[in-house]
Amino acid sequence: MRVSLRWLGDFLELPTTDPGEIARALTGLGLKVESIEHLEARWAAVVTAKVVSAEPHPHADRLRVCRVDMGSEVLEVVCGAWNFEAGATVAFAPPGARLADGTVLEVRRIRGVESNGMICSERELGLSDDHEGILVLPDEIVPGRPLEEVVELPDVVFELEVTANRPDAMSMIGVARELAAYYRIPYRWPEDDYPAIPGAPTTKVEIADPAGCYRFTLREIRNVRVGPSPLWMRRRLQAAGVRPINNVVDVTNYVMIELGHPLHAFDADRLEGDLLVVRRAEDGETLVTLDGVTRRLSAEDVVICDRTGPVSLAGTMGGESTEVGDQTTRVLLEAASWDPPSIMWMSRRHGLRSEASARFERGVDPNLPPRASARAALLIHRLAGGDVLEGLIDEVAVPFAPRRVDLPLSEVERLLGPGFDQGRVVEVLTSLDLEVEGSDPLTVVVPTFRPDLSRPVDLVEEVARLVGYDSFPETLPRGPGGGWNRRQKARRRLVETLAGLGLNQALPLPFVTPEDLQVFDHPADDVIRVTNPLREEESILRPSLLPGLLKSLRRNVARGVSPVGLFEVGRVFIRESSPDDPRIPNQPERLGWALVGSFGPADLAGRSREVDVYTSTGILRVVVHALGGRVALQPDHRPGFHPGRTARVTDPEGQVLGWVGELHPLLVDRYELDGRVAIAELDLDRLLDLPRATTAQPVSALPAGGVRPGFHRSRGAAGFPARRLSGRRRIRPGRGRLRLRRVPGPGHRHPQLGDPPHLEGSRPDPGR
Amino acid sequence: MNPQLAEVVEAAPGKLAAVQSLEELDRVEAELLGRRSVLAQLQKAIGSLPPEERPALGRDLQQARATLVELVETRRRALEREIADRVATADRVDVTLDAFRLPLGSRHLIYQTIEEVCEIFVSLGYVVAEGPEAEIAWYNFDALNTPPTHPARAETDTLYIDFGDPATEPLLRTHTSPMQIRWMEAHRPPVAVVVPGKVYRADTIDASHLPVFHQVEGLMVGEDVRFSDLKGTLAHFARSFFGPQTQVRFRPSFFPFTEPSAELDVSCFACRGGEPGCRVCGGEGWLELLGCGMVDPNVFDAVGYDPKSVTGFAFGMGVERLAMVRHSIDDIRLFVDNDLRFLRQFP
């Protein structure tokens, strides 16, 4: 909502003119000022003037020589425009004046005649793009006034963000009412007392869809002369962000901005028959709207129809065939009240968000139509010279009366704290035009322009809003405690460990494509799909973390960023019911990683170890160690994984945690990667729930280095024995003491990346 | 002192100073203290002296020996240090070389931001809870006082999924608020909980929109929770996150699930208030931080709390926005692009 400060002056006298101060007041009221625009005159020293005479130029057919009275003196000027005659009031730039483009006027000779300045067009003044002729001002304007005074400049325009619950604030009068309440000053409604001639519209109205239309008023105005609106109205519409069309359409828009009630003007002579019916459209009906677009209608659309069918999309946009144009002389003025959800869905369905629909979908006051219609009638009478018939057709399908809400005073203090006695609460509520009766509880009569106020708590908000959110103290309550649970702490340890190892946490979008499913041999029907995706890329919820990680690898590699090691902790979506709630899918958290290139500490040349299956088992070993648990590995097959370099990971009870290994060479190709790719995907819950040793083991008094209980490392069987990755290796003191012997260094050094596979898994662990 | 001894002791420092190797030191030591040294000869001669002169010479000998031993050992320690330094110096390398590169990865900035936000509330006695991302309309909308006609439920805003009973309108949660409902269903007041997690919207990807982003939700319910508690808690959060000098502004707003509702703005930390053309706040001086409000009575009704006996406040904030504002990130797509050159900037 764009609010011109000058225009606001029609409704109240603000105690300040400081735009910053007014913006603070509006924002504090909940009408957030998004921006403040300063409109300035783009000219200097241009004044109003009367054309005293306009004579042909002696040496040029297309020019005239005019004598112009600018109050202080009368000057002679050559002019090429013909849209005025002697007596017209114009904008005159005498020598020394500056135009919008920066031109400073001088005395010039034009075809032998001295020209002292210029009669200006709107474009030359920067008021609009109009350069058809010069700007003709209303006759009542006296000569010699600075032009700025006539066109309401300078002005300030506030761009307000109006929340969805405040239809009333989508109008100048509504904003004025809010500011009046804030400053505790009066405000006034604009004039709407029009002179009427006897008669009533011959067109009748039938509301066949009371669910969509609450009320429909129709007024007839005859002998209308359609033409451009006066400058002041065009300027105000422009300031409000509405494009001027003609005086009749402009009045409907002007009243919409002013009072918040959208109106529609039909060319009465272009309507067929003498009955307008409001009904739901039939599937397949069409309507060409004012923007020239052919709309295919559905049974949910609310339309206004004449004998031929739909002529207007209710509350949203009128039809082209009955549009008011230059030839129009008889206008039917509609002011109707619509069901907000119907308008909202209709405008969304048609991708048509108009100024009208933005208001109707919030809920325009259903008792406003007669008043809005009267105001528009007065303005059309003044600007387009129409004769307004006194009869108003007013069909009411659903009557609305002011609502009565009981407000116990205790409710105010329960939410807002102490300090709200009856006097203060009543003062605030009445300042908003609410009527208050009784004492505790107060009975509050809510006018129909505030559909958002229906419960005591809604009135409490009004009190808070008007006393100002800033006026409340700040107190800091404590919760009962709890913090992070054990699982969340373990997950944090996991993430920090992986980052400490050199992997980078990634957050790909949690979707996969049909191609991802296909290369991973995942059944296409065993996924959860988005029914209304914007793109195919976001149509399938991921059943695995790996596609997202692999595509992130690919993007890095394609950009020359390599090596890459990524991991992710996130949910996947399984087509089965959640164990916690059968209505929703199972969405367990998983840990996944994918690495390509080399990984680990690098030497002077930047060389580190190329990744392979042992990168994955090595990372797993550290992760499990960090979490204090134990797992076992077993060679396994798994779609997407390398058939000879993949291990199933199980916990001590034999439950599967997931798989670690390498990406299948075919998929390395499919994801446009090179070399070996180390991958893993593990169930986070099982990983974080691994049983942990919580009792400390005594530390051996024996020297640790070089001496270990004398067990030989066996090389393991050819069939890849189960390998146990241990989080805690223990040496029990005493046992084996008799068999102590020196074993070669490498046999007991700490496990490192690149160690042969038999290093740990195949050695009988002396501790167990 | 015996003149012979005095002469030896006096000459010793000069002799030792000239010594440049441990072998030479051994020779000098033998010369000063060995079997053929002046000391040894006088020691042997002591028996031939008259008894009354023996104690004096004995004392002199003892004293001279101690002095000489100390001088020799001092010189030995110095020599050893010099030699070791010489050897070690020959072993020097260019210490500025990057010859052993230990990797350090990174935690995602969004993850870090979520942790930081939650940590602030954990220190205020909140519990951290997480909930499902695939939800049904009851939790995402109805229980949150969002009527069936509300525009947020449109297919242009919310992503729906093909799981379970279509009548339940299964969907991807559009905010973390459903977990408020689930938490209240499972716990009696008092409640203080923060909920981080992913949320989904039917948005086309551009520099400021993603179909999936993160929120942190908060809820406190009790018998005597007031508007001032909402203000104090969120002002505390804003100052903890953006610094103690941060100014806060609460302004009225509208959400279906809170009444009264508010938006919290914080003073721009970059320009500290209204520098024209500030790259962070655009000159406005304020940054929109989060939406909040007192829990709507209809929400309490939906979870079986008695709105007449409990009150509460709730808030929700966009994590990406917090991170973008604080780190001057102008394209939200960087968060899902997973380019290492971005990720590594925030270890």
Side-chain angles (χ1 to χ4, degrees):
Chain A
M1 173 77 193
R2 289 170 58 88
V3 174
S4 146
L5 189 53
R6 292 263 193 179
W7 193 349
L8 209 49
D10 284 8
F11 310 101
L12 78 177
E13 266 68 59
L14 288 170
T16 174
T17 53
D18 173 16
E21 158 64 26
I22 296 165
R24 271 190 294 280
L26 289 166
T27 297
L29 285 162
L31 304 174
K32 196 206 171 195
V33 176
E34 288 275 300
S35 67
I36 303 176
E37 197 179 321
H38 293 269
L39 304 182
E40 308 279 353
R42 293 170 61 195
W43 60 82
V46 177
V47 295
T48 60
K50 291 275 183 210
V51 178
V52 179
S53 65
E55 303 295 336
H57 192 289
H59 312 299
D61 290 348
R62 296 186 170 191
L63 298 177
R64 286 191 291 179
V65 179
C66 303
R67 288 170 53 76
V68 174
D69 175 5
M70 55 178 282
S72 52
E73 55 186 317
V74 177
L75 294 176
E76 204 167 74
V77 62
V78 176
C79 182
W82 290 82
N83 64 326
F84 66 97
E85 294 305 329
T89 307
V90 297
F92 179 63
R98 197 183 72 236
L99 302 181
D101 65 358
T103 308
V104 176
L105 290 156
E106 294 165 9
V107 180
R108 289 171 56 200
R109 290 190 78 80
I110 299 175
R111 295 278 186 109
V113 177
E114 191 170 274
S115 181
N116 299 283
M118 182 189 274
I119 303 177
C120 305
S121 72
E122 291 185 25
R123 190 168 78 189
E124 284 154 350
L125 295 166
L127 287 170
S128 77
D129 289 335
D130 188 2
H131 197 52
E132 288 280 300
I134 56 103
L135 167 60
V136 179
L137 296 168
D139 290 342
E140 62 269 22
I141 292 173
V142 297
R145 287 174 65 191
L147 184 65
E148 299 90 286
E149 288 178 14
V150 179
V151 294
E152 300 193 333
L153 283 176
D155 194 5
V156 175
V157 176
F158 301 101
E159 172 95 53
L160 302 186
E161 182 189 297
V162 179
T163 50
N165 60 331
R166 293 299 303 275
D168 61 302
M170 294 287 281
S171 65
M172 300 300 296
I173 194 80
V175 173
R177 182 163 43 221
E178 288 279 306
L179 286 171
Y182 180 85
Y183 287 115
R184 303 287 198 271
I185 54 173
Y187 72 100
R188 58 186 167 262
W189 278 74
E191 231 184 315
D192 56 7
D193 200 6
Y194 56 90
I197 61 166
T202 49
T203 306
K204 300 298 172 220
V205 171
E206 181 196 331
I207 301 176
D209 176 32
C213 180
Y214 302 152
R215 184 173 191 173
F216 197 105
T217 71
L218 202 61
R219 181 187 298 284
E220 186 172 331
I221 304 166
R222 292 180 182 160
N223 303 321
V224 167
R225 287 181 300 280
V226 176
S229 301
L231 182 65
W232 66 268
M233 177 170 275
R234 286 184 284 128
R235 297 280 306 156
R236 283 187 169 187
L237 288 175
Q238 280 167 344
V242 176
R243 192 166 55 91
I245 310 280
N246 61 44
N247 46 15
V248 173
V249 174
D250 288 354
V251 164
T252 62
N253 284 329
Y254 186 87
V255 174
M256 171 178 72
I257 307 286
E258 191 177 50
L259 303 183
H261 200 304
L263 304 159
H264 182 64
F266 292 98
D267 181 334
D269 295 321
R270 296 173 74 182
L271 285 168
E272 298 286 333
D274 53 7
L275 179 67
L276 287 180
V277 179
V278 180
R279 61 164 168 86
R280 297 282 160 163
E282 285 158 26
D283 274 322
E285 277 185 309
T286 57
L287 169 67
V288 181
T289 42
L290 282 174
D291 52 8
V293 178
T294 303
R295 310 276 170 182
R296 180 162 288 278
L297 305 177
S298 74
E300 291 134 89
D301 292 330
V302 185
V303 287
I304 302 163
C305 306
D306 68 1
R307 200 173 61 200
T308 62
V311 292
S312 177
L313 212 48
T316 306
M317 192 175 274
E320 201 178 53
S321 66
T322 54
E323 184 182 3
V324 170
D326 293 346
Q327 309 306 314
T328 304
T329 58
R330 199 161 64 92
V331 167
L332 277 176
L333 186 65
E334 163 208 329
S337 182
W338 307 99
D339 172 51
S342 296
I343 301 301
M344 182 196 72
W345 293 113
M346 189 161 64
S347 73
R348 280 173 176 254
R349 244 188 333 271
H350 293 287
L352 191 58
R353 310 294 296 274
S354 62
E355 289 278 345
S357 73
R359 286 171 175 78
F360 281 124
E361 70 180 35
R362 284 175 159 86
V364 175
D365 181 3
N367 291 317
L368 192 52
R371 196 165 198 177
S373 179
R375 172 68 175 156
L378 172 65
L379 290 173
I380 290 174
H381 169 73
R382 281 189 184 161
L383 305 184
D387 299 324
V388 183
L389 302 198
E390 67 181 353
L392 175 75
I393 290 182
D394 187 1
E395 289 294 322
V396 179
V398 184
F400 283 83
R403 194 184 277 119
R404 301 173 78 83
V405 181
D406 283 345
L407 176 64
L409 288 168
S410 60
E411 198 58 18
V412 181
E413 301 208 324
R414 196 167 73 98
L415 282 165
L416 302 185
F420 293 94
D421 60 22
Q422 183 173 338
R424 193 162 179 216
V425 172
V426 171
E427 192 206 344
V428 165
L429 295 178
T430 50
S431 75
L432 286 165
D433 283 3
L434 311 181
E435 284 172 43
V436 183
E437 300 164 3
S439 53
D440 196 4
L442 304 173
T443 298
V444 181
V445 182
V446 181
T448 47
F449 62 78
R450 288 300 301 271
D452 57 319
L453 307 181
S454 62
R455 305 168 300 166
V457 68
D458 301 327
L459 298 171
V460 172
E461 179 175 58
E462 292 307 286
V463 174
R465 202 165 64 83
L466 264 292
V467 304
Y469 283 9
D470 286 346
S471 68
F472 290 88
E474 291 178 5
T475 50
L476 189 55
R478 303 272 155 178
W484 304 93
N485 62 28
R486 199 189 78 104
R487 183 183 180 284
Q488 289 162 337
K489 287 176 188 162
R491 187 179 54 194
R492 181 193 296 200
R493 167 88 168 129
L494 173 78
V495 168
E496 280 167 2
T497 300
L498 287 163
L501 277 178
L503 283 90
N504 300 280
Q505 189 178 14
L507 278 179
L509 290 176
F511 301 103
V512 295
T513 62
E515 295 76 55
D516 292 324
L517 295 180
Q518 187 243 316
V519 296
F520 270 92
D521 275 342
H522 193 98
D525 56 355
D526 192 27
V527 288
I528 296 167
R529 287 171 192 273
V530 176
T531 56
N532 57 327
L534 287 180
R535 303 190 304 162
E536 194 186 40
E537 288 93 321
E538 288 128 31
S539 63
I540 305 171
L541 287 171
R542 62 182 177 192
S544 158
L545 301 182
L546 290 172
L549 286 167
L550 292 170
K551 281 184 271 195
S552 294
L553 286 195
R554 176 175 63 195
R555 262 200 307 281
N556 275 285
V557 171
R559 294 170 187 171
V561 183
S562 178
V564 207
L566 298 175
F567 74 98
E568 185 186 5
V569 173
R571 289 182 195 281
V572 297
F573 299 83
I574 313 292
R575 198 161 185 92
E576 64 189 26
S577 278
S578 158
D580 305 317
D581 183 344
R583 296 168 293 180
I584 59 172
N586 192 16
Q587 24 200 323
E589 258 188 305
R590 288 207 186 145
L591 163 66
W593 64 71
L595 302 90
V596 68
S598 57
F599 178 72
D603 65 14
L604 189 53
R607 277 186 304 258
S608 54
R609 194 178 169 283
E610 291 297 312
V611 302
D612 60 12
V613 55
Y614 300 119
T615 310
S616 280
T617 56
I619 293 169
L620 176 68
R621 184 181 294 143
V622 175
V623 162
V624 170
H625 189 144
L627 297 176
R630 274 191 285 149
V631 296
L633 298 184
Q634 190 76 44
D636 199 6
H637 292 282
R638 175 80 179 160
F641 281 72
H642 191 300
R645 290 170 168 250
T646 294
R648 185 174 71 235
V649 185
T650 52
D651 69 10
E653 278 80 52
Q655 297 212 81
V656 178
L657 270 71
W659 286 264
V660 298
E662 284 178 28
L663 186 65
H664 195 293
L666 187 67
L667 276 76
V668 172
D669 207 44
R670 288 286 161 82
Y671 284 101
E672 295 163 37
L673 297 165
D674 271 321
R676 298 185 183 275
V677 179
I679 56 169
E681 184 164 30
L682 301 157
D683 184 87
L684 199 71
D685 283 318
R686 292 208 172 129
L687 190 61
L688 299 180
D689 282 347
L690 286 175
R692 301 169 200 214
T694 50
T695 312
Q697 299 298 320
V699 175
S700 170
L702 295 173
V707 179
R708 283 283 300 253
F711 290 96
H712 289 286
R713 291 162 48 206
S714 75
R715 290 236 145 216
F720 302 108
R723 292 177 193 129
R724 174 159 285 177
L725 296 172
S726 78
R728 293 189 195 284
R729 207 177 309 111
R730 290 164 299 184
I731 302 169
R732 283 197 200 145
R735 280 192 62 194
R737 175 179 286 250
L738 294 175
R739 289 176 284 162
L740 281 182
R741 54 180 264 197
R742 244 170 223 288
V743 291
H748 52 263
R749 68 191 172 102
H750 289 294
Q752 290 178 357
L753 281 177
D755 281 349
H758 45 72
L759 178 70
E760 260 197 23
S762 55
R763 186 178 59 236
D765 192 322
R768 303 194 183 95
Chain B
M1 185 181 269
N2 178 293
Q4 255 183 295
L5 271 182
E7 192 184 325
V8 169
V9 170
E10 200 177 324
K15 271 190 181 161
L16 285 166
V19 166
Q20 287 305 322
S21 72
L22 290 171
E23 294 75 21
E24 210 181 331
L25 184 65
D26 288 343
R27 277 199 305 280
V28 173
E29 185 183 18
E31 194 181 302
L32 292 173
L33 295 158
R35 275 181 293 139
R36 283 201 288 259
S37 65
V38 172
L39 263 71
Q41 286 163 14
L42 287 172
Q43 187 75 47
K44 269 185 231 157
I46 205 164
S48 59
L49 286 179
E52 63 278 14
E53 290 178 22
R54 288 180 196 169
L57 183 60
R59 271 197 308 278
D60 287 353
L61 274 169
Q62 205 177 348
Q63 193 188 335
R65 180 178 302 278
T67 305
L68 290 173
V69 166
E70 176 58 28
L71 284 170
V72 168
E73 287 314 309
T74 301
R75 182 62 192 146
R76 186 184 307 281
R77 283 195 296 272
L79 260 183
E80 281 171 351
R81 161 67 58 92
E82 280 168 29
I83 290 161
D85 279 355
R86 265 203 306 275
V87 171
T89 302
D91 194 30
R92 75 173 185 273
V93 293
D94 179 355
V95 296
T96 64
L97 286 180
D98 195 8
F100 181 54
R101 300 187 201 172
L102 289 172
L104 177 65
S106 54
R107 296 174 307 146
H108 200 282
L109 182 57
I110 292 302
Y111 183 93
Q112 294 183 44
T113 309
I114 285 174
E115 257 190 15
E116 188 178 339
V117 170
C118 291
E119 208 59 70
I120 293 168
F121 289 100
V122 165
S123 71
L124 291 175
Y126 287 63
V127 62
V128 183
E130 291 154 82
E133 293 165 21
E135 269 288 6
I136 53 175
W138 167 256
Y139 290 105
N140 198 71
F141 291 127
D142 300 277
L144 289 159
N145 195 33
T146 309
T149 54
H150 196 277
R153 300 175 75 136
E155 295 219 327
T156 49
D157 289 47
T158 299
L159 295 172
Y160 290 88
I161 55 174
D162 69 339
F163 181 86
D165 180 359
T168 63
E169 296 176 67
L171 49 80
L172 296 171
R173 67 176 177 191
T174 58
H175 45 188
T176 39
S177 310
M179 193 54 194
Q180 278 187 22
I181 305 300
R182 289 187 179 273
W183 189 264
M184 284 192 280
E185 280 181 347
H187 299 83
R188 301 309 302 168
V191 159
V193 60
V194 280
V195 184
K198 280 192 171 70
V199 300
Y200 298 72
R201 302 272 170 92
D203 272 328
T204 308
I205 298 177
D206 63 27
S208 49
H209 294 90
L210 285 176
V212 186
F213 55 100
H214 296 77
Q215 283 186 344
V216 177
E217 181 87 9
L219 173 74
M220 176 176 270
V221 180
E223 279 181 7
D224 198 23
V225 179
R226 291 175 176 163
F227 193 70
S228 62
D229 294 326
L230 161 80
K231 279 190 69 180
T233 299
L234 293 173
H236 170 83
F237 163 72
R239 289 190 280 263
S240 302
F241 192 82
F242 284 112
Q245 75 291 344
T246 306
Q247 305 287 308
V248 296
R249 175 175 86 174
F250 289 85
R251 56 185 166 81
S253 189
F254 171 68
F255 307 105
F257 30 89
T258 50
E259 188 86 10
S261 301
E263 293 260 3
L264 170 60
D265 300 338
V266 294
S267 54
C268 177
F269 62 88
C271 70
R272 298 257 166 84
E275 191 178 288
C278 166
R279 87 198 134 71
V280 176
C281 69
E284 211 194 327
W286 295 98
L287 299 166
E288 287 185 28
L289 194 63
L290 56 83
C292 55
M294 303 302 289
V295 178
D296 194 286
N298 291 350
V299 175
F300 286 142
D301 278 333
V303 298
Y305 282 15
D306 177 9
K308 292 199 159 42
S309 63
V310 294
T311 50
F313 64 79
F315 55 87
M317 63 191 97
V319 180
E320 276 77 0
R321 171 161 176 80
L322 287 180
M324 289 173 83
V325 161
R326 187 152 74 166
H327 301 283
S328 298
I329 295 165
D330 56 9
D331 191 333
I332 197 172
R333 290 172 290 201
L334 284 167
F335 292 124
V336 293
D337 194 43
N338 300 315
D339 191 311
L340 278 197
R341 294 167 294 180
F342 175 75
L343 297 177
R344 283 197 178 134
Q345 292 177 38
F346 307 98

